[in-house]
């Protein structure tokens, strides 16, 4: 696999299998990925703020040789907490606690470029990457929840384009900060008395539209050089952002053709800007409902849908589409004509996904809410372990995915059955690793370790 001259592969990455294999992350959503997962027997919603709940999951996922655990987050309390588990521990704090009980599994946390400052966030992620020995990834979001603005002294939430403008500059600043110490800046030579070579520690002196940051970061470069850059979002702005910055993309698709079109578009854009498309992993979400027979799996899925509560389901639909349907007959056709095609939400990828479901399937309002209840628009696969494995293999081998975010309907049970029943089939087919080939998240994803921006003579004199 060729690499640009500016990229240096980690030693252990070369030990990976020569044939392409799946990347699998465990997407940890505290109450489970079905909106009513917390109500399902065997779920443990009372443990959502108990760190041992997550430590147990982390150990299980590491034993299964998953690439990473992924934690979503948002800087505001959702207004539907009455009906579901919508709060969570702060993810970077959580990653530190998980790093102490694991050795190799990657740890990915979400943080917003809209509501953090680059210097503080650079220090937080660099600290956890040092603590974990190089296993951290950053899921970069701009935050879509307008309610967050008033938690940070703003009268209104920045517009979509403004958030992405800030995000591009944020990535420029934080990358410079993580690179501000060259890899060989730490000398630690008691004989000479030199602790650090200050010629290799650089002020970044960034002055831009949104930020003025001198630098350098007050931590040396982390084991991976930088945390792995992850991005979620499939809008046009999101795709352009991902192609410029991301090394893994979390995305939501309902059908194979949709996933294939997105995958082809992202890989083509990467090539067009001179990037190696193999260094931009496309990882859709999959929420599996697994039964020993097809009928058993369908019954399981139906059991979850029967636990949904209309006020919660309709609020989720309102946040995605902008439509308040609380006074409508749930068994009436979804009122497609009420959606404004050029409204504020029209640029959002999840809005378009829901619109595609409506146009393709012509559902009732209730059917649409059940479609979203399973995983908020991510792909729901229902069937036997063999059928779930077939679905994963089909997408993986037909240009739709480099791997998946596994989104169990409930925890821990939904994950346990995936590991016990589906993972052995994927391994038997040679699609997933038997053991880790390396020790960092970059190793697991097959990504190179980037050189510091300041390593080249031209950059040093800039």
């Amino acid at each position: 696999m060729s690499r640009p001259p500016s990229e240096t592969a980690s030693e252990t990455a070369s030990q990976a299998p020569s044939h392409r294999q799946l990347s699998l992350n465990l997407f940890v959503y505290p109450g489970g990925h079905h909106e009513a997962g917390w109500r399902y027997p065997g779920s443990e919603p009372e443990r959502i703020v108990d760190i041992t709940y997550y430590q147990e999951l982390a150990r299980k996922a590491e034993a299964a040789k998953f690439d990473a655990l992924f934690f979503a987050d948002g800087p505001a309390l959702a207004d539907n907490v009455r009906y579901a588990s919508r709060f969570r521990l702060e993810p970077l704090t959580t990653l530190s606690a998980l790093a102490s009980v694991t050795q190799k599994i990657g740890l990915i946390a979400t943080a917003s470029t809209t509501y953090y400052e680059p210097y503080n966030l650079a220090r937080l992620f660099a600290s956890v990457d040092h603590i974990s020995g190089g296993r951290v990834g950053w899921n970069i979001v701009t935050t879509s929840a307008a309610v967050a603005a008033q938690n940070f002294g703003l009268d209104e939430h920045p517009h979509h384009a403004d958030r992405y403008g800030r995000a591009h500059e944020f990535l420029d600043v934080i990358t410079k900060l993580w690179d501000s110490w060259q890899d060989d800046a730490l000398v630690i030579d008691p004989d000479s008395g030199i602790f650090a070579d200050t010629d290799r520690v650089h002020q970044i002196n960034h002055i831009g539209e949104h930020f003025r940051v001198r630098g350098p970061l007050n931590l040396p470069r982390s084991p991976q050089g930088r945390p792995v850059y992850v991005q979620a979002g499939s809008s046009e702005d999101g795709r352009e952002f991902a192609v410029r910055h991301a090394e893994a993309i979390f995305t939501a698709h309902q059908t194979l053709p949709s996933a294939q079109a997105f995958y082809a578009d992202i890989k083509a854009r990467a090539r067009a800007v001179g990037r190696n498309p193999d260094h931009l992993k496309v990882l859709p979400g999959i929420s599996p409902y697994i039964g020993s027979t097809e009928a058993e799996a369908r019954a399981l899925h139906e059991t979850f849908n029967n636990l949904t509560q209309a006020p919660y389901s309709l609020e989720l639909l309102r946040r995605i589409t902008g439509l308040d349907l609380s006074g409508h007959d749930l068994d009436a056709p979804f009122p497609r004509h009420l959606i404004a095609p050029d409204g504020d939400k029209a640029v959002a990828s999840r809005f378009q996904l829901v619109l595609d479901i409506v146009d393709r399937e012509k559902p009732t309002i209730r059917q649409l809410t059940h479609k979203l209840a399973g995983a908020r628009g991510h792909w729901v696969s229902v069937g036997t372990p063999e059928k779930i494995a077939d679905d994963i293999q089909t997408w993986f081998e037909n240009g739709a995915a480099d791997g998946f975010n596994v989104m169990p309907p409930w925890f821990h049970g939904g994950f346990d059955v995936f590991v016990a029943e589906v993972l052995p089939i994927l391994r038997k087919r040679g699609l997933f690793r038997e053991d880790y080939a390396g020790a960092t998240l970059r190793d697991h994803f097959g990504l190179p370790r980037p050189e510091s921006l300041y390593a080249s003579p031209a950059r040093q004199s800039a």
Side-chain angles (χ1 to χ4, degrees):
M1 182 168 61
S2 62
R3 293 189 174 93
S6 61
E7 294 180 338
T8 304
S10 6
E11 253 176 56
T12 48
S14 63
Q15 302 168 13
S18 58
H19 60 284
R20 182 168 171 259
Q21 290 198 315
L22 286 161
S23 290
L24 293 178
N25 302 318
L26 174 59
F27 186 166
V28 181
Y29 212 70
H33 284 277
H34 192 284
E35 67 183 49
W38 68 276
R39 302 182 69 195
Y40 187 72
S43 182
E44 299 179 282
E46 69 281 358
R47 297 184 65 199
I48 286 173
V49 292
D50 176 357
I51 192 59
T52 65
Y53 177 76
Y54 305 98
Q55 289 174 328
E56 290 165 11
L57 272 175
R59 291 190 188 100
K60 287 178 180 180
E62 184 168 69
K65 313 306 178 186
F66 267 51
D67 292 61
L69 284 91
F70 165 57
F71 291 84
D73 193 51
L77 178 65
D79 54 8
N80 49 14
V81 70
R82 179 180 179 89
Y83 300 104
S85 54
R86 298 292 286 151
F87 55 84
R88 62 200 84 192
L89 296 172
E90 191 282 316
L92 278 163
T93 309
T94 301
L95 295 198
S96 293
L98 301 186
S100 69
V101 298
T102 56
Q103 294 182 329
K104 292 191 176 181
I105 192 167
L107 304 165
I108 302 171
T110 299
S112 172
T113 58
T114 304
Y115 294 111
Y116 268 103
E117 290 294 319
Y119 196 94
N120 284 343
L121 194 62
R123 191 181 185 202
L124 288 166
F125 268 106
S127 295
V128 182
D129 207 38
H130 279 290
I131 289 168
S132 67
R135 295 188 279 135
V136 169
W138 171 27
N139 180 41
I140 306 159
V141 299
T142 64
T143 301
S144 60
V147 69
Q150 295 176 21
N151 292 338
F152 294 88
L154 300 180
D155 292 330
E156 62 181 22
H157 191 51
H159 293 296
H160 182 92
D162 294 336
R163 297 199 309 273
Y164 271 97
R166 176 185 165 100
H168 281 292
E169 187 177 343
F170 196 113
L171 264 289
D172 184 29
V173 176
I174 204 168
T175 300
K176 291 174 184 174
L177 287 169
W178 281 329
D179 284 2
S180 60
W181 289 64
Q182 291 177 231
D183 287 321
D184 54 356
L186 272 182
V187 178
I188 314 180
D189 182 2
D191 293 334
S192 68
I194 302 299
F195 187 79
D197 182 347
T198 49
D199 290 337
R200 289 175 168 79
V201 182
H202 306 273
Q203 293 184 11
I204 70 168
N205 294 319
H206 176 92
I207 299 175
E209 180 182 354
H210 301 278
F211 306 109
R212 295 171 61 92
V213 182
R214 187 191 69 172
L217 191 63
N218 57 348
L219 272 176
R221 206 156 188 248
S222 71
Q224 295 187 107
R226 308 167 199 147
V228 174
Y229 291 176
V230 181
Q231 186 263 355
S234 304
S235 67
E236 182 59 29
D237 284 336
R239 295 182 195 214
E240 283 301 312
F241 185 87
V243 168
R244 280 185 55 182
H245 303 291
E247 296 167 292
I249 304 175
F250 295 165
T251 182
H253 298 279
Q254 289 280 320
T255 67
L256 177 62
S258 170
Q260 288 171 320
F262 178 81
Y263 186 94
D265 180 58
I266 289 295
K267 300 291 185 173
R269 292 186 193 216
R271 291 187 193 94
V273 298
R275 293 189 62 187
N276 183 339
D278 290 340
H279 297 163
L280 184 52
K281 303 295 182 183
V282 177
L283 306 171
I286 180 172
S287 191
Y289 291 75
I290 305 166
S292 58
T293 64
E294 294 289 332
E296 184 180 301
R298 287 194 298 270
L300 177 67
H301 189 216
E302 185 66 20
T303 296
F304 274 87
N305 285 339
N306 288 338
L307 293 173
T308 59
Q309 301 177 84
Y312 183 96
S313 302
L314 293 175
E315 172 58 21
L316 173 63
L317 194 57
R318 184 196 65 77
R319 285 189 284 113
I320 295 174
T321 66
L323 293 183
D324 182 358
L325 300 177
S326 54
H328 287 63
D329 178 2
L330 296 185
D331 294 311
F334 180 84
R336 172 70 167 81
H337 62 284
L338 296 180
I339 291 182
D342 56 352
D344 288 343
K345 293 183 177 294
V347 296
S349 56
R350 203 57 56 90
F351 173 90
Q352 190 59 54
L353 183 147
V354 171
L355 208 60
D356 290 345
I357 294 172
V358 172
D359 291 341
R360 183 176 63 250
E361 302 182 17
K362 307 294 189 296
T364 66
I365 297 172
R366 190 188 306 277
Q367 288 169 338
L368 181 58
T369 61
H370 283 176
K371 191 84 173 178
L372 298 177
R376 306 172 306 285
H378 286 275
W379 181 34
V380 171
S381 180
V382 181
T384 63
E386 290 77 11
K387 194 264 185 184
I388 305 298
D390 288 345
D391 285 346
I392 289 172
Q393 184 170 1
T394 296
W395 282 42
F396 180 61
E397 293 183 343
N398 288 277
D402 294 310
F404 292 88
N405 281 322
V406 179
M407 304 168 61
W410 83 105
F411 286 112
H412 288 195
F415 181 58
D416 292 342
V417 70
F418 182 88
V419 169
E421 302 291 340
V422 178
L423 213 56
I425 299 172
L426 296 175
R427 285 202 170 106
K428 185 176 180 180
R429 297 177 184 181
L431 297 172
F432 190 64
R433 66 172 66 89
E434 294 285 347
D435 202 354
Y436 293 111
T440 72
L441 180 54
R442 289 187 176 278
D443 291 335
H444 305 339
F445 280 170
L447 298 172
R449 185 182 189 276
E451 286 187 337
S452 166
L453 292 169
Y454 297 91
S456 69
R459 186 71 192 186
Q460 290 180 48
S461 60

